[in-house]
Amino acid sequence: MLPKYEVLQQLQQSKVVAVIRGNNQAEAVAISEAAIKGGFHAIEVTYTTPNASDVIKILNKENALVGAGTVLDAETARDALLHGAKFIVSPHFSEEISKVCNRYAVPYLPGCLTIKEMVTAYEYGCDVIKLFPANNFESSFIKAVNGPLPHVRIMPTGGIHVNNFTQWLDDGAFAVGIGSDLTKAFKEDGAQGVMEQCKKYLSKI
């Protein structure tokens, strides 16, 4: 297992995390593999995807950092870790999930919207906060948070797309999570569409 700091370092270096929501296991694997071939190195498989744990296990054979998303409870977090997830993401903050992740030295990125939630998450050992849904905010929100909390690192997710993600990165985002762009590309043009969309992102970094 990779040390926690190495996982965080890889996430930050990747800059873009592909958030995968498949209608079924095969679709999730196909989108993920296309994203990896397109140059993305960080994949977040959401637990809204059927058989998400099996998707994670399959993707661990690829040259990518694979984590679990939409993790709502400690039981799901442990299931994801047992299947090889290198990081855990949830749409909310959970004390129980943080305990499981801390126990196994795995990064936990909880969804937070308020300063109070962010401070609480940091008190429970979270190193990066997921701002979700980010489309409710301007990218300048990160600088506003880093005024009183300069140590807080934020990964915006939700409403991030190829035309605005660099602004978030320029304004201090740790990384960004994107998903709907890839899902749409897959529905329109299959794996080739996903690869081309990934290259559009990477060309702007």
Side-chain angles (χ1 to χ4, degrees):
M1 179 178 287
L2 287 173
K4 183 178 181 180
Y5 74 90
E6 285 190 18
V7 174
L8 291 169
Q9 186 177 47
Q10 286 187 32
L11 284 173
Q12 187 172 34
Q13 290 174 345
S14 296
K15 297 185 185 299
V16 180
V17 178
V19 181
I20 307 300
R21 295 187 187 280
N23 290 321
N24 53 62
Q25 177 179 327
E27 181 176 282
V29 171
I31 297 174
S32 300
E33 290 179 341
I36 295 168
K37 290 179 181 177
F40 280 15
H41 299 295
I43 305 292
E44 175 190 328
V45 179
T46 65
Y47 262 75
T48 54
T49 300
N51 303 315
S53 55
D54 291 331
V55 175
I56 293 170
K57 187 174 182 179
I58 291 170
L59 294 178
N60 269 312
K61 300 174 184 178
E62 301 287 339
N63 182 29
L65 188 71
V66 182
T70 320
V71 175
L72 302 181
D73 49 52
E75 292 80 9
T76 304
R78 178 160 171 73
D79 179 71
L81 296 179
L82 289 173
H83 284 83
K86 302 300 189 297
F87 60 94
I88 300 295
V89 184
S90 66
H92 67 308
F93 170 71
S94 163
E95 295 179 13
E96 296 307 315
I97 294 175
S98 69
K99 289 178 182 179
V100 170
C101 291
N102 285 334
R103 185 176 299 137
Y104 298 104
V106 171
Y108 171 41
L109 291 70
C112 298
L113 290 176
T114 68
I115 295 294
K116 181 178 181 180
E117 289 175 332
M118 293 177 187
V119 170
T120 299
Y122 262 76
E123 289 174 346
Y124 277 86
C126 301
D127 296 285
V128 179
I129 300 301
K130 171 185 174 180
L131 178 64
F132 177 80
N135 55 359
N136 286 339
F137 299 87
E138 298 291 336
S139 58
S140 58
F141 178 76
I142 294 177
K143 291 183 178 180
V145 170
N146 286 157
L149 302 174
H151 58 289
V152 169
R153 292 179 287 181
I154 295 174
M155 184 178 80
T157 305
I160 307 298
H161 51 75
V162 72
N163 294 319
N164 71 1
F165 84 103
T166 54
Q167 186 62 56
W168 282 96
L169 292 173
D170 291 343
D171 281 345
F174 172 81
V176 298
I178 63 107
S180 57
D181 269 5
L182 300 184
T183 303
K184 182 178 178 181
F186 184 78
K187 289 181 179 179
E188 292 179 352
D189 298 303
Q192 186 61 37
V194 174
M195 287 187 282
E196 291 176 0
Q197 189 67 20
C198 291
K199 291 174 182 178
K200 289 180 182 178
Y201 276 90
L202 296 176
S203 69
K204 294 189 176 187
I205 297 177

